[in-house]
Amino acid sequence: MDSQLPIKQSFTKESLKKKFRLSEFLAEKIISSIAFLSIAIIFLIFIFVFKESLPLFSLGSDAKAKTEAQVTTANKPESYGTASEELKPESYGAETAEDLKPESYGTETTEELKPETYGSETAAKDDLKPESYGDTPKEDLSVAPADEMMNAESQNKEGSDKTWSTFFSTEWVPVSDNPRFGLIGLLIGTLKVTIIAMLIAGPLAVLAALFTSCFASKRVKEIIKPVIEMLAAFPSVVIGFFALMVLASFFQDVFGYDSRLNAFIGGVAMALAAIPIIYTISEDALASVPKTYTEASLALGASKWQTAFFVVLPAATPGIFAALLLGVGRVFGETMIALMATGNAALISANPFESVRTFAATIGSEMAETVFGETHYSVLFFIGSLLFIFSFALNAVAEFYVKGKLLKKFQGK
């Protein structure tokens, strides 16, 4: 009888203390280091993008410094080498005095031996003076530095204000004597492509996830899910090339519109890129709905499709909404597909079959052609900052609000 009694174990403070294991310690430190490094890289990218766009907020001071340097150099006479070197003829080898005489044809005169002059200056007085052209007097080359700086400062301030005012225009003409950086056309083009893509990708991806989760057999599910998720492995340039060569011609033959590359073609191509993301997250959200919901609905007499649409789908709404937000972020920041399939024309129109231009395509097509530090360069980084803020805000809403508050609300917590 005594041998069948359970053995009593006594726990002490020392026995409950976690033992040190080197492998666990190293794994924990490596994982925490990688997480910290990821956060640091995100902040560094954020700081770099905004740092390059900061000159837009201080165009006056930067242009003033440039003008000071220009005025300082403008008041100095143009010179090359020393005066003694300018008066000596270029020689090669051991030339004699006769070799240095100018070549003459016909009758030589004393005027031919004089140095070449421009305007009304004489050779005797102007040999050592700065280079001049025409009858420009000396007084025209000297400008009062104070007046020049005041005029330049006022012009720079007006230029800075003018650059900001062009942001709300509809023209995107960055290379011109009067550059215009109208962001309205780019914003409308980006929104058009995003809305078209989400109208196509959203319903298809959510319904495919609902079918896979509630109706498909295990064998069919093992086929459909990997095939759809395989689209995520396709590079953007491949999808863009497919839209450029196949989809554009096909839909133009079907609808008969004029512009071959337009917002509709870009939206269809971007929908192909967004479907895998929306499908995967939605399917996981639908699969995580407790089976008791389905069993209770079926026990009450509801059919299978009524249970799927009126029980399972509403219960997975937070996860599906988060998937749609991530799909919007994927489409909004897409570059290569927009660059190859939208036509790249900043047109403002409600017609989905006209060419558009997006924020990301503008950066991708013009960044390599800008001059470092110029206004055009800073404007492109400012557009990148807007894209970064928008994507960060969407991810933050999807992560903290949807998965946090709404999920607790549906769970009754």
Side-chain angles (χ1 to χ4, degrees):
M1 293 294 294
D2 295 338
S3 59
Q4 295 179 357
L5 294 175
I7 301 174
K8 294 183 180 180
Q9 296 181 354
S10 60
F11 297 97
T12 60
K13 188 175 181 180
E14 294 295 331
S15 63
L16 294 176
K17 186 180 293 185
K18 185 178 179 180
K19 295 181 180 180
F20 176 78
R21 292 182 176 86
L22 182 61
S23 59
E24 294 180 0
F25 176 78
L26 291 177
E28 181 181 353
K29 294 301 179 184
I30 290 173
I31 293 173
S32 59
S33 300
I34 292 174
F36 177 78
L37 182 62
S38 303
I39 296 173
I41 290 174
I42 292 174
F43 275 102
L44 287 176
I45 295 173
F46 188 83
I47 292 171
F48 170 75
V49 172
F50 276 89
K51 174 180 172 293
E52 294 298 325
S53 62
L54 279 179
L56 286 177
F57 302 91
S58 59
L59 281 177
S61 60
D62 293 344
K64 181 177 178 181
K66 292 180 181 179
T67 306
E68 289 179 355
Q70 293 174 358
V71 171
T72 305
T73 56
N75 292 330
K76 294 181 180 180
E78 186 177 1
S79 61
Y80 303 93
T82 59
S84 59
E85 294 176 353
E86 292 176 358
L87 298 178
K88 292 181 180 180
E90 186 175 2
S91 60
Y92 302 91
E95 289 93 351
T96 59
E98 296 178 356
D99 296 332
L100 300 177
K101 293 181 180 180
E103 187 177 357
S104 60
Y105 301 92
T107 305
E108 294 184 0
T109 60
T110 56
E111 295 179 355
E112 294 177 354
L113 301 176
K114 293 181 180 180
E116 186 177 0
T117 61
Y118 302 91
S120 59
E121 292 83 4
T122 59
K125 296 181 180 180
D126 296 336
D127 287 343
L128 299 178
K129 290 184 178 181
E131 186 178 356
S132 61
Y133 301 92
D135 297 332
T136 305
K138 183 178 180 182
E139 289 76 15
D140 293 339
L141 299 176
S142 60
V143 182
D147 297 339
E148 182 76 15
M149 290 303 302
M150 291 178 63
N151 294 332
E153 185 176 357
S154 61
Q155 292 176 0
N156 296 332
K157 186 176 181 180
E158 293 176 359
S160 176
D161 297 337
K162 189 175 181 181
T163 301
W164 280 99
S165 63
T166 59
F167 284 172
F168 301 97
S169 64
T170 58
E171 296 181 348
W172 177 263
V173 189
V175 181
S176 171
D177 294 335
N178 182 24
R180 280 93 68 196
F181 304 99
L183 301 183
I184 302 298
L186 304 182
L187 178 61
I188 292 177
T190 306
L191 292 178
K192 282 177 65 175
V193 175
T194 303
I195 291 172
I196 293 171
M198 293 308 300
L199 288 177
I200 298 173
L204 288 179
V206 173
L207 290 177
L210 187 64
F211 172 78
T212 305
S213 178
C214 299
F215 298 98
S217 62
K218 186 176 180 181
R219 182 178 179 82
V220 175
K221 181 178 180 180
E222 291 176 353
I223 297 175
I224 293 178
K225 189 172 182 179
V227 169
I228 296 179
E229 291 178 348
M230 194 181 297
L231 282 173
F234 278 47
S236 299
V237 65
V238 175
I239 299 176
F241 187 74
F242 175 73
L244 176 65
M245 301 303 296
V246 179
L247 295 181
S249 301
F250 173 77
F251 283 108
Q252 188 179 31
D253 295 337
V254 171
F255 295 104
Y257 46 77
D258 296 330
S259 180
R260 183 171 177 271
L261 301 177
N262 48 59
F264 178 75
I265 299 299
V268 172
M270 289 186 184
L272 296 177
I275 282 176
I277 298 175
I278 302 174
Y279 170 82
T280 302
I281 300 177
S282 299
E283 203 276 332
D284 292 340
L286 291 168
S288 63
V289 175
K291 295 298 181 181
T292 54
Y293 287 20
T294 305
E295 295 172 356
S297 176
L298 294 174
L300 291 174
S303 63
K304 202 169 184 179
W305 71 268
Q306 287 176 333
T307 302
F309 280 95
F310 298 107
V311 177
V312 179
L313 189 62
T317 300
I320 294 175
F321 188 64
L324 294 175
L325 288 181
L326 293 178
V328 171
R330 172 74 170 87
V331 173
F332 199 85
E334 178 56 46
T335 303
M336 285 307 301
I337 297 177
L339 196 62
M340 300 176 69
T342 58
N344 285 325
L347 303 179
I348 299 178
S349 172
N351 187 1
F353 300 114
E354 288 195 3
S355 299
V356 294
R357 192 169 200 177
T358 64
F359 282 147
T362 303
I363 298 174
S365 61
E366 298 183 5
M367 180 58 71
E369 302 175 359
T370 59
V371 180
F372 178 80
E374 291 294 330
T375 305
H376 187 195
Y377 177 85
S378 300
V379 170
L380 293 180
F381 270 94
F382 179 72
I383 294 175
S385 304
L386 296 179
L387 289 175
F388 190 92
I389 292 174
F390 183 81
S391 300
F392 183 81
L394 282 181
N395 284 281
V397 170
E399 182 68 26
F400 298 106
Y401 178 73
V402 177
K403 290 186 179 180
K405 293 185 178 180
L406 287 182
L407 189 60
K408 292 180 179 178
K409 179 180 178 181
F410 277 97
Q411 291 177 350
K413 295 181 180 179

